[in-house]
Coordinates of all heavy atoms in Angstrom, one line a residue:
E37 N 8.4 43.0 -2.6 CA 7.1 42.7 -3.0 C 6.4 41.7 -2.0 O 5.2 41.9 -1.7 CB 7.2 42.0 -4.4 CG 5.9 42.0 -5.1 CD 6.0 41.3 -6.5 OE1 7.1 41.3 -7.1 OE2 5.0 40.6 -6.9
F38 N 7.2 40.7 -1.5 CA 6.6 39.8 -0.6 C 6.3 40.4 0.7 O 5.3 40.1 1.4 CB 7.6 38.6 -0.5 CG 7.0 37.4 0.3 CD1 5.7 37.0 0.1 CD2 7.8 36.7 1.2 CE1 5.1 35.9 0.8 CE2 7.2 35.6 1.9 CZ 5.9 35.2 1.7
E39 N 7.2 41.2 1.2 CA 7.0 41.9 2.5 C 5.6 42.7 2.4 O 4.8 42.7 3.3 CB 8.1 42.9 2.8 CG 9.4 42.1 3.3 CD 10.6 43.1 3.5 OE1 10.5 44.3 3.2 OE2 11.6 42.5 4.0
N40 N 5.5 43.4 1.3 CA 4.2 44.2 1.1 C 3.0 43.3 1.1 O 2.0 43.6 1.7 CB 4.3 45.1 -0.2 CG 5.4 46.2 -0.1 OD1 5.7 46.6 1.0 ND2 5.8 46.6 -1.2
A41 N 3.1 42.2 0.3 CA 2.0 41.3 0.2 C 1.7 40.7 1.6 O 0.5 40.5 1.9 CB 2.4 40.1 -0.8
W42 N 2.7 40.4 2.4 CA 2.5 39.8 3.7 C 1.8 40.8 4.6 O 0.9 40.5 5.4 CB 3.8 39.3 4.3 CG 3.6 38.5 5.6 CD1 3.9 38.9 6.9 CD2 2.9 37.2 5.7 NE1 3.5 37.9 7.8 CE2 2.9 36.9 7.1 CE3 2.3 36.4 4.8 CZ2 2.4 35.7 7.6 CZ3 1.8 35.2 5.3 CH2 1.8 34.9 6.7
R43 N 2.2 42.1 4.5 CA 1.5 43.1 5.4 C 0.1 43.3 5.0 O -0.8 43.3 5.8 CB 2.3 44.4 5.3 CG 3.6 44.5 6.1 CD 4.2 45.9 6.2 NE 4.8 46.3 4.9 CZ 4.3 47.3 4.1 NH1 3.3 48.0 4.5 NH2 4.9 47.5 3.0
T44 N -0.2 43.3 3.7 CA -1.5 43.4 3.2 C -2.4 42.2 3.7 O -3.5 42.3 4.1 CB -1.6 43.4 1.6 OG1 -0.7 44.5 1.3 CG2 -3.0 43.6 1.1
Y45 N -1.8 41.0 3.5 CA -2.5 39.8 3.9 C -2.9 39.7 5.4 O -4.0 39.4 5.8 CB -1.7 38.5 3.5 CG -2.3 37.2 4.0 CD1 -3.5 36.7 3.3 CD2 -1.8 36.6 5.1 CE1 -4.0 35.5 3.8 CE2 -2.4 35.4 5.5 CZ -3.5 34.9 4.9 OH -4.1 33.7 5.4
T46 N -1.8 40.0 6.2 CA -2.0 39.8 7.7 C -2.7 41.1 8.3 O -3.2 41.0 9.4 CB -0.7 39.6 8.4 OG1 0.2 40.7 8.1 CG2 -0.1 38.3 7.9
G47 N -2.5 42.2 7.7 CA -2.9 43.5 8.3 C -1.9 43.9 9.4 O -2.1 44.9 10.1
L48 N -0.8 43.3 9.5 CA 0.3 43.7 10.4 C 1.0 44.9 9.8 O 1.2 45.0 8.6 CB 1.2 42.6 10.7 CG 0.6 41.3 11.4 CD1 1.6 40.2 11.5 CD2 0.1 41.7 12.8
P49 N 1.4 45.9 10.7 CA 2.0 47.1 10.2 C 3.4 47.0 9.5 O 3.7 47.7 8.6 CB 2.0 48.0 11.4 CG 2.0 47.1 12.6 CD 1.2 45.9 12.2
H50 N 4.2 46.0 10.0 CA 5.5 45.9 9.5 C 5.9 44.4 9.3 O 5.4 43.5 10.0 CB 6.5 46.4 10.6 CG 6.1 47.8 11.0 ND1 6.2 48.9 10.2 CD2 5.7 48.2 12.2 CE1 5.8 50.0 10.9 NE2 5.4 49.6 12.1
A51 N 6.7 44.2 8.3 CA 7.2 42.8 8.0 C 8.5 42.9 7.3 O 8.7 43.7 6.4 CB 6.2 42.1 7.1

Side-chain angles (χ1 to χ4, degrees):
E37 195 183 330
F38 188 41
E39 287 173 355
N40 292 339
W42 187 249
R43 284 192 286 113
T44 303
Y45 172 77
T46 57
L48 297 172
H50 311 291

